[in-house]
Amino acid sequence: MDCSCVSDILLTPSMPALWTPGFAFPDWAYKPESSPGSRQIQLWHFILELLQKEEYHDVIAWQGDYGEFVIKDPDEVARLWGIRKCKPHMNYDKLSRALRYYYNKRILHKTKGKRFTYKFNFSKVVLVNYPLLDMANSSLLLGQNPFPGAHSHDPFTPEALQSLFSPTGRPPLLDRPLSTPETEKLRLEAAFPFLGSVQEESREAERSAGGQTAVGSAYTKPPAMLPPYNRNTPFPDYTWGFNPYLSSTFPLTGSKLPTSLYPPQFYPSSLSQLAPPVSLLPGESLDRSTSLLPGIPQRLCATLNSHPMPLRVSGELGSTGAVRRDRVEQPEGKPEPESDSDLEITDVSDCSSEADGCGYSPPCPGSSIRRSRTEVEPPKTVTTKTSQEKSAAPLS
DNA sequence: CCCGGAACTT
DNA sequence: AAGTTCCGGG
C-alpha cells in the first residue's frame, strides 16, 4: 500500500549536472501527459534520462555516432529500470526485449556489431512526442541546416528553440491542423540530420509509425531529477529510499527545464546558452549544492534530507551470487528464499500489486516515508507474498 | 549476445 | 500501447 518508493525522492541536494551547460532537453522529449496511458515512464525516456546524467556514465553513455549509446553495465541498467518500474526481477534480457520493440517503432535501432549498443532515432522520438509540431513554420530549422555534419549548423540555436517553445507556452502552429505524418517526418528529419536516416524502412514499421500519431498537447513535463547515483546502493534501499527516476512534476520557475537529450557534442555551444537562463532564477546559482531546487516547495524535500540513504554494500553476491543471474523463483514451490529476497527487495510487497503506488505517488505524503529497513521495519512484515504470489497467482 | 514470436499484464 | 515474462533459434 504505502509504497513509499517514490516519495522520498530527489533529495540529493546537489544536482548540478542537471543544468550543465550544453544540456538541453526540449519539451517534446517528453510524452504528452494526455497521451493515452502514458503516465508511466517509458523505457526510451528512461534511457535518455540515464544518458543525461554523468553519474551513470559508467553504466550507460553516449558513444559513437549521433544518438548512439552503449550500455556499459547491462545488469545495472536493468536493475535501475526495474526499480523505476518496480519490477524487481527485471534483467537485461527483458529490458533488451523492450528495446527491441522499439525497432519497429523506429525509436531505436541496434548498432550491429557493437555489443549493448543502440542508437536513437530522434526524429521518431520527436514525432511521437510532438506530432503537432509544425516545423514548416520554424523556417529556421529547415532553411539553415545542411545535412552533412550535424555540427555545421546547429538547428538548436537558442533562437530556434525559443521559437519552438515560445514563452507563450506553446510552439507556434501547435494548433494548426496536423499535416501528414509523412510530411512532418521529413521535416523533422531535416532538422535532425544526425538521426538515423530511416534506412531500413520496411514492413510493418510503416504501419505502426503511421497509426501512432499521438494527440499532441501543449504539455511540458520537466525532466526527472536523477539524484547522485551510487551503484553500491542496494536495490531495496535505493528503491524505497527515493525514486531516482521520478520524473514527476517540478514546479520549476520556467516550467520548461531543458536538460540534455543529445550528446553534448551535438551541440557545440548554442544550447549552452539556453539552459542556464531557463532553470535558474536570477540571483540563484547552481553551485549551492546544499540548496534545494529553485522553485521546489520545501515540503517536497524536507523529509528527504533526513534520510542519508544507507549504503549497504554487503549482500552483493555473498550468499547467493547466482540467484539473481537466473531467475530462480519457484513457480509455486516455496516462498522466496531469504537469500534471494536479500537481493531482490524485501519490501517489494508493495510492488506485488504491480507497482501500484509504486511508480508515481504524490510526493512526500508528509510523513509516511519510512524507508530503509534499517529503520524499524515492523517485524510482522505481513508475511508478504512477494513475488511468489505474483508468479503463482496469475496463472493458476 | 541478439532476435522476435507468443501470451499476458497494466 | 507499452512493456514483461518466457523462450526457442541463430
Side-chain angles (χ1 to χ4, degrees):
Chain A
M1 310 302 216
D2 48 295
C3 177
S4 48
C5 159
V6 195
S7 18
D8 337 308
I9 353 231
L10 43 148
L11 5 352
T12 34
S14 62
M15 34 188 85
L18 200 65
W19 292 292
T20 299
F23 280 179
F25 230 145
D27 286 358
W28 45 257
Y30 295 90
K31 193 142 191 162
E33 220 161 340
S34 59
S35 187
S38 64
R39 273 252 334 279
Q40 277 207 310
I41 189 174
Q42 258 148 294
L43 180 54
W44 66 266
H45 191 324
F46 175 79
I47 295 291
L48 240 28
E49 287 182 15
L50 292 184
L51 246 14
Q52 173 204 357
K53 305 294 290 180
E54 296 191 26
E55 293 97 303
Y56 302 89
H57 272 14
D58 291 328
V59 176
I60 184 175
W62 293 113
Q63 196 177 86
D65 296 334
Y66 303 127
E68 200 173 288
F69 64 92
V70 56
I71 296 175
K72 298 174 180 175
D73 189 339
D75 292 326
E76 186 60 11
V77 172
R79 181 154 46 251
L80 293 170
W81 175 233
I83 291 171
R84 189 67 175 71
K85 295 289 292 291
C86 278
K87 292 289 180 185
H89 300 294
M90 179 53 60
N91 57 34
Y92 180 69
D93 180 51
K94 294 171 186 170
L95 183 152
S96 64
R97 181 69 190 89
L99 290 178
R100 261 173 261 135
Y101 271 126
Y102 285 148
Y103 297 171
N104 282 339
K105 291 181 180 176
R106 311 285 202 70
I107 289 174
L108 277 184
H109 66 80
K110 187 76 180 65
T111 297
K112 299 185 187 75
K114 297 181 184 176
R115 284 177 65 186
F116 309 125
T117 303
Y118 300 81
K119 186 176 174 183
F120 269 105
N121 234 337
F122 288 130
S123 69
K124 183 58 184 177
V125 172
V126 173
L127 282 174
V128 170
N129 295 280
Y130 229 125
L132 296 182
L133 181 61
D134 186 334
M135 296 303 235
N137 222 21
S138 315
S139 54
L140 49 149
L141 289 181
L142 281 181
Q144 60 181 4
N145 182 47
F147 288 54
H151 303 273
S152 51
H153 231 343
D154 184 350
F156 291 95
T157 60
E159 300 75 46
L161 289 178
Q162 205 72 38
S163 77
L164 288 178
F165 312 110
S166 59
T168 65
R170 351 176 13 126
L173 301 179
L174 195 55
D175 17 43
R176 280 271 202 75
L178 181 61
S179 52
T180 81
E182 293 71 31
T183 306
E184 298 196 345
K185 182 165 154 191
L186 291 176
R187 287 174 180 158
L188 285 165
E189 280 178 6
F192 301 83
F194 48 83
L195 111 192
S197 50
V198 191
Q199 7 145 219
E200 47 190 346
E201 316 258 290
S202 59
R203 33 192 183 175
E204 56 220 49
E206 211 59 271
R207 182 192 54 186
S208 64
Q212 92 169 248
T213 332
V215 181
S217 71
Y219 150 80
T220 71
K221 181 182 189 175
M225 307 269 193
L226 295 167
Y229 164 70
N230 182 330
R231 68 169 59 228
N232 287 325
T233 306
F235 194 59
D237 291 333
Y238 202 6
T239 303
W240 314 123
F242 68 93
N243 181 337
Y245 312 116
L246 173 137
S247 34
S248 63
T249 56
F250 287 105
L252 289 171
T253 58
S255 79
K256 300 195 169 167
L257 186 149
T259 63
S260 136
L261 173 60
Y262 310 114
Q265 60 265 56
F266 294 178
Y267 305 103
S269 59
S270 48
L271 270 186
S272 55
Q273 308 166 352
L274 187 122
V278 182
S279 48
L280 288 178
L281 286 173
E284 287 188 316
S285 58
L286 294 173
D287 46 302
R288 290 166 49 186
S289 55
T290 54
S291 68
L292 300 174
L293 293 170
I296 292 185
Q298 313 273 27
R299 59 178 180 68
L300 245 172
C301 311
T303 40
L304 309 176
N305 300 318
S306 51
H307 295 292
M309 197 189 308
L311 269 251
R312 184 170 64 60
V313 196
S314 42
E316 189 52 26
L317 33 103
S319 49
T320 57
V323 174
R324 66 187 257 179
R325 257 261 67 93
D326 322 274
R327 100 190 81 284
V328 189
E329 39 187 336
Q330 22 290 87
E332 55 187 288
K334 36 262 326 11
E336 294 239 308
E338 297 81 348
S339 51
D340 189 27
S341 61
D342 178 48
L343 289 170
E344 305 291 2
I345 280 185
T346 44
D347 305 315
V348 199
S349 50
D350 300 309
C351 285
S352 63
S353 55
E354 236 44 328
D356 49 316
C358 217
Y360 273 34
S361 64
C364 290
S367 49
S368 58
I369 305 190
R370 150 221 325 5
R371 41 183 310 63
S372 60
R373 54 178 164 329
T374 64
E375 201 69 341
V376 188
E377 212 44 309
K380 58 185 223 164
T381 316
V382 191
T383 331
T384 61
K385 322 173 263 187
T386 57
S387 56
Q388 178 216 350
E389 167 178 282
K390 204 171 89 170
S391 55
L395 273 176
S396 53

